[in-house]
C-alpha cells in the first residue's frame, strides 16, 4: 500500500491523554492512527505551540511505526486562522448556525496564509508515490495550495463536520473560493448521505456545476468525486478497554455518588452544537413529570473544555452552570443530587469504563458530523445487560444507529418521555436494540472507513477506474429496500411510534425522510 500522508489541524502523539482540546483531536486521532501505522505514513499539522518564529518539528517516529511532523503558529495566525476563521466563522456555518458567524476579512487572510504555510512546510517531506489525505474544515483550501505548487499526487479530503444547506453555506462571504479550493482534491468524503446531498446541491445551484449519478462532479473547471464514508471506531478494542476499566476508581466513585440508582450519562466536548442546555432542560422536565424517578436515578454530564476563550463557549458554560444549579436547587434531597455536571475531560480508558456502567447515554447534539461517543457507548456495553442509547436525529450517527431511541433535542417533552422510556426499558428490548446497533458497528468499523476512503481515492485519481461506492452499511432487515428502488417502506425500531417510515434510496444509500425519527 502507498504511504499515506495525513494533514490535519492537530496531530496527536501515540498515546494521547485528555487535554484541553482532547475532544477536538480525539475522534480523528483514533481513526487515522491505524491507517498511518499500516502504511508507515506521515501525519502533519500544527504542533499546538505558539511562537513568533514558527519551527518545523520532526519528522519523528512514533511507536505505531508512523512519523509525525508539526509546525508552530504565530500568536496572530492562531487568532486569525484557528480561533477566528475556523472556529468563529466556519464552525457555526457548517453546523447550520450562520447567525453565530463572526466574520472579518483579516481572519480569512490569516486562514489562507496558514494553509499556505502548512503546504510550504509539507512539500519537502513528500515522496512521489504518496497519497495525501486532508482532514476537516481548518484546511479547506489546502488541496488547491498543493496543486498550485505543482503537486500531482492523489489528494483526498474528508469533512468531519456536517455540510449545511447550500443557502446556509453561502452565508460565508468566501463560500465560492472555499469550494473551489476543495474541488482541487480528487475525492471529497462526507459523514452522511444528507451532507453529500447538501454539497451536491451547492455544486449544482451555487457553483453552476454538474453532478453525475456515479458521484463524479464538475465545477470551477475541475473534475472530482464526492461520496459518503461514515467514520467509526474499533468496537472490539473499545469493548475490551471498557470491560477492563469498568471498576476503575473513577467508576467506583461515580457509582457511590449515584447510590443504587440508574446512571444517565452525557459525555461531550463543551460546545454550543452539542445541545447541552436542551438536554438539561429535558431532564428537568423528566423530574417534573416523573416524580417517582427521583432518587432512583442520577444524571452525570461530563463536558470537557474546548475553545474555552471564545465568547460563545464562555456563554454556554455560564448557561450550563445556571441550569444545573437551578435543577439541583429544585430537586436535591439531603442524600440525593439529581445532576452532577463535571467540567473536565477524562482519559479514554476511564471514559470507556464509565460508558459501560451507564444505564443510558444521552447523545443529543443540535448538529454533529457523526458523534463517536454514541458509537463508543454501544461498543462499551455488557452484552448480557446492555444500556440504552438516546440519540439526536441531528447526529450523523443516527443515520446508522436507528435502533437507538431517536429524539429531536429541541422537543423537551418528547426527550423527557424518551428518557423515561429508556430508564424503564425491559432487558429484552435493551438487548434487541443493542444487538441491532452492534451489528452495524461491527460491519462498519474504523478499518472499513479508512480502507474504503483510500481505495476510492486511488480510483478517483485514476480516470480509467470505476467510480467509488461510499456505502452506508445497515443491519440486515428483511423489510429494508434493495438498492436501486425509488421508494422504500421499512419498519423496525420505529415501532414505538407504531408507524412504518419511508425513505429514499440515493446513491446507494437509504436516506431518512422527514418524520423518520
Ligand atoms: P468532536 O466534536 O470532537 O469531533 P465526537 O465524535 O463527539 O467529536 O468525539 C470525539 C472523541 O472525543 C471521542 O473519541 C470521545 O470519546 C472524545 N470525547 C468527547 N468528549 C469527551 C470528554 N468529555 N472527555 C473525554 N473524551 C471525550 C468531530 C465532529 C464529530 C465527529 C468527529 C469524528 O464534530 O461529529 O464524530 O469529529 O469525525
Amino acid at each position: 500500500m502507498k504511504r499515506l500522508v495525513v494533514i490535519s489541524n492537530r496531530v496527536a502523539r501515540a498515546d494521547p491523554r485528555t487535554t484541553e482540546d482532547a475532544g477536538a483531536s480525539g475522534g480523528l486521532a483514533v481513526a487515522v492512527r491505524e491507517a498511518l501505522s499500516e502504511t508507515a505514513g506521515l501525519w502533519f499539522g500544527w504542533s499546538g505551540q505558539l511562537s513568533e518564529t514558527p519551527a518545523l518539528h520532526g519528522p519523528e517516529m512514533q511507536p505505531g511505526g508512523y512519523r509525525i511532523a508539526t509546525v508552530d503558529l504565530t500568536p496572530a495566525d492562531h487568532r486569525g486562522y484557528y480561533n477566528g476563521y475556523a472556529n468563529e466563522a466556519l464552525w457555526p456555518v457548517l453546523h447550520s448556525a450562520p447567525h453565530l458567524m463572526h466574520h472579518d476579512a483579516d481572519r480569512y487572510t490569516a486562514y489562507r496564509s496558514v494553509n499556505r504555510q502548512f503546504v510550504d512546510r509539507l512539500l519537502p517531506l513528500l515522496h512521489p508515490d504518496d497519497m495525501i489525505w486532508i482532514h476537516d474544515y481548518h484546511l479547506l483550501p489546502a488541496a488547491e495550495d498543493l496543486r498550485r505548487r505543482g503537486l500531482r499526487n492523489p489528494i483526498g479530503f474528508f469533512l468531519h463536520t456536517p455540510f449545511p444547506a447550500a443557502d446556509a453555506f453561502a452565508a460565508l462571504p468566501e463560500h465560492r473560493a472555499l469550494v473551489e479550493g476543495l474541488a482541487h482534491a480528487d475525492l471529497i468524503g462526507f459523514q452522511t448521505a444528507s451532507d453529500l446531498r447538501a454539497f451536491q446541491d451547492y455544486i449544482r445551484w451555487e457553483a453552476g456545476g454538474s453532478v453525475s449519478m456515479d458521484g463524479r462532479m464538475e465545477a470551477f473547471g475541475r473534475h472530482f468525486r464526492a461520496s459518503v464514508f461514515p467514520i467509526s471506531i474499533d468496537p472490539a478494542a473499545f469493548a475490551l478497554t471498557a470491560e477492563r476499566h469498568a471498576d476503575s476508581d473513577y467508576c467506583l466513585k461515580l457509582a457511590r455518588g449515584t447510590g443504587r440508582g440508574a446512571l444517565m450519562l452525557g459525555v461531550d466536548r463543551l460546545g454550543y452544537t452539542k445541545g447541552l442546555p436542551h438536554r438539561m432542560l429535558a431532564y428537568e422536565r423528566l423530574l417534573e413529570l416523573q416524580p417517582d424517578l427521583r432518587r432512583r436515578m442520577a444524571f452525570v454530564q461530563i463536558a470537557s473544555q474546548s475553545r474555552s476563550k471564545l465568547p460563545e463557549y464562555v456563554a454556554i458554560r455560564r448557561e450550563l452552570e445556571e441550569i444545573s444549579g437551578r435543577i439541583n436547587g429544585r430537586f436535591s434531597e439531603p442524600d440525593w443530587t439529581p445532576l452532577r455536571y463535571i467540567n473536565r475531560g477524562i482519559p479514554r480508558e476511564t471514559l470507556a469504563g464509565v460508558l459501560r456502567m451507564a444505564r443510558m447515554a444521552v447523545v443529543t447534539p443540535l448538529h454533529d458530523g457523526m458523534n463517536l461517543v454514541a458509537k463508543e457507548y454501544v461498543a462499551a456495553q455488557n452484552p448480557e445487560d446492555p444500556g440504552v442509547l438516546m440519540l439526536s436525529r441531528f447526529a450523523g450517527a443516527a443515520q446508522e444507529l436507528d435502533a437507538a431511541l431517536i429524539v429531536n433535542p429541541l422537543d423537551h417533552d418528547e426527550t423527557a418521555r424518551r428518557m423515561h422510556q429508556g430508564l424503564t426499558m425491559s432487558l429484552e428490548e435493551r438487548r434487541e436494540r443493542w444487538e441491532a446497533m452492534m451489528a452495524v458497528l461491527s460491519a462498519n468499523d474504523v478499518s472499513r472507513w479508512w480502507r474504503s476512503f483510500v481505495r476510492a481515492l486511488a480510483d478517483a485519481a485514476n480516470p480509467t477506474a470505476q467510480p467509488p461506492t461510499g456505502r452506508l452499511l445497515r443491519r440486515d432487515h428483511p423489510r429494508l429496500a434493495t438498492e436501486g428502488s425509488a421508494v422504500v417502506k421499512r419498519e423496525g425500531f420505529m415501532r414505538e411510534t407504531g408507524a412504518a417510515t419511508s425513505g429514499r434510496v440515493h446513491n446507494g444509500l437509504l436516506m431518512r425522510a422527514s418524520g423518520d425519527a
Side-chain angles (χ1 to χ4, degrees):
M1 201 177 273
K2 289 185 175 175
R3 186 174 83 143
L4 197 59
V5 176
V6 168
I7 318 175
S8 60
N9 174 59
R10 286 305 300 274
V11 171
R13 293 185 173 274
D15 183 21
R17 293 282 149 175
T18 302
T19 60
E20 154 90 347
D21 63 354
S25 63
L28 191 154
V30 175
V32 301
R33 199 171 284 124
E34 180 187 299
L36 287 164
S37 290
E38 280 208 23
T39 62
L42 171 69
W43 192 356
F44 181 89
W46 175 37
S47 63
Q49 306 296 318
L50 301 183
S51 151
E52 288 299 347
T53 49
L56 174 75
H57 309 280
E60 175 192 320
M61 188 52 111
Q62 296 294 290
Y66 60 91
R67 291 180 166 74
I68 63 173
T70 58
V71 278
D72 306 332
L73 289 177
T74 66
D77 278 345
H78 179 255
R79 268 196 308 279
Y81 146 81
Y82 180 72
N83 281 338
Y85 199 75
N87 285 329
E88 288 201 304
L90 282 169
W91 179 270
V93 169
L94 289 166
H95 288 83
S96 302
H99 56 287
L100 296 180
M101 171 177 81
H102 296 285
H103 180 273
D104 77 51
D106 290 347
R107 293 173 173 194
Y108 181 63
T109 304
Y111 177 78
R112 295 300 302 229
S113 158
V114 169
N115 270 265
R116 279 193 299 274
Q117 289 171 42
F118 272 30
V119 162
D120 288 345
R121 296 293 192 137
L122 175 66
L123 277 167
L125 308 178
L126 294 180
H127 300 163
D129 273 349
D130 286 344
M131 292 184 96
I132 318 293
W133 192 2
I134 303 166
H135 287 260
D136 228 357
Y137 62 102
H138 312 88
L139 299 172
L140 296 172
E144 179 177 4
D145 294 334
L146 283 164
R147 293 283 183 234
R148 290 201 188 286
R149 298 292 306 271
L151 195 86
R152 300 174 69 90
N153 302 41
I155 301 180
F157 178 93
F158 184 78
L159 186 65
H160 289 257
T161 68
F163 192 85
D167 276 355
F169 194 71
L172 279 161
E174 302 82 11
H175 62 98
R176 281 184 70 85
L178 292 168
V179 176
E180 183 172 0
L182 265 186
H184 287 73
D186 297 295
L187 176 68
I188 303 168
F190 295 96
Q191 301 269 29
T192 69
S194 320
D195 300 323
L196 174 62
R197 194 177 45 203
F199 185 71
Q200 289 170 335
D201 284 350
Y202 182 95
I203 292 297
R204 280 197 200 97
W205 309 119
E206 287 287 341
S210 63
V211 175
S212 312
M213 289 294 284
D214 64 8
R216 289 169 211 251
M217 296 185 174
E218 194 271 318
F220 305 104
R222 313 267 328 161
H223 294 267
F224 52 99
R225 289 178 184 172
S227 196
V228 177
F229 304 90
I231 198 168
S232 197
I233 60 167
D234 178 344
F238 200 81
L240 207 62
T241 310
E243 206 179 335
R244 286 202 183 125
H245 291 83
D247 46 14
S248 69
D249 268 6
Y250 196 95
C251 288
L252 295 177
K253 282 182 190 151
L254 215 52
R256 267 202 296 277
T258 310
R260 274 166 303 169
L263 169 63
M264 187 170 88
L265 179 71
V267 178
D268 306 78
R269 207 167 34 69
L270 208 170
Y272 56 83
T273 53
K274 299 290 181 182
L276 301 177
H278 296 281
R279 188 182 302 168
M280 287 187 182
L281 291 171
Y283 178 55
E284 187 172 28
R285 193 85 187 103
L286 174 73
L287 295 178
E288 284 166 2
L289 293 173
Q290 302 290 344
D292 57 307
L293 272 185
R294 297 180 202 165
R295 309 176 72 94
R296 289 172 49 215
M297 63 156 304
F299 175 25
V300 172
Q301 174 63 55
I302 300 175
S304 57
Q305 291 282 333
S306 81
R307 307 166 197 171
S308 50
K309 300 211 167 49
L310 301 186
E312 278 76 16
Y313 291 75
V314 173
I316 192 99
R317 202 174 152 186
R318 283 217 189 98
E319 189 182 356
L320 292 173
E321 281 161 7
E322 192 220 299
I323 301 174
S324 59
R326 188 183 67 229
I327 292 174
N328 280 334
R330 275 186 77 188
F331 297 105
S332 283
E333 301 282 348
D335 56 351
W336 181 63
T337 307
L339 167 58
R340 270 176 295 157
Y341 167 45
I342 301 170
N343 208 201
R344 278 184 304 278
I346 51 177
R348 194 166 173 73
E349 293 78 11
T350 311
L351 174 65
V354 172
L355 288 172
R356 188 177 174 93
M357 70 179 279
R359 166 51 55 90
M360 182 164 176
V362 277
V363 181
T364 54
L366 302 180
H367 274 291
D368 220 334
M370 178 54 63
N371 196 302
L372 291 177
V373 176
K375 294 189 170 183
E376 289 165 352
Y377 178 71
V378 173
Q381 295 312 294
N382 173 359
E384 299 307 314
D385 186 18
V388 177
L389 174 65
M390 172 185 281
L391 190 51
S392 160
R393 59 175 299 151
F394 306 122
Q399 298 198 13
E400 290 171 274
L401 302 179
D402 69 356
L405 286 179
I406 305 287
V407 296
N408 168 5
L410 296 166
D411 183 342
H412 301 164
D413 283 344
E414 186 213 5
T415 307
R417 274 197 304 277
R418 292 279 195 227
M419 284 174 173
H420 184 250
Q421 183 187 352
L423 289 163
T424 55
M425 190 179 283
S426 70
L427 175 61
E428 188 195 358
E429 186 175 350
R430 281 190 274 129
R431 274 204 193 133
E432 200 184 335
R433 287 176 182 272
W434 177 78
E435 278 163 16
M437 293 190 283
M438 205 52 199
V440 173
L441 279 193
S442 304
N444 214 15
D445 64 4
V446 69
S447 187
R448 185 187 164 91
W449 171 72
W450 75 262
R451 284 177 205 284
S452 56
F453 187 93
V454 168
R455 215 173 20 247
L457 175 55
D459 287 349
N462 170 7
T464 58
Q466 291 300 307
T469 57
R471 263 189 203 148
L472 190 58
L473 277 188
R474 305 175 59 87
R475 81 197 138 85
D476 241 349
H477 193 296
R479 291 180 201 254
L480 273 182
T482 49
E483 285 171 13
S485 53
V487 176
V488 295
K489 288 274 183 205
R490 66 192 173 87
E491 291 176 358
F493 287 93
M494 302 305 153
R495 68 185 173 182
E496 57 264 25
T497 64
T501 52
S502 63
R504 285 185 299 123
V505 170
H506 180 83
N507 258 9
L509 301 168
L510 183 72
M511 323 250 292
R512 287 185 175 283
S514 63
D516 187 5

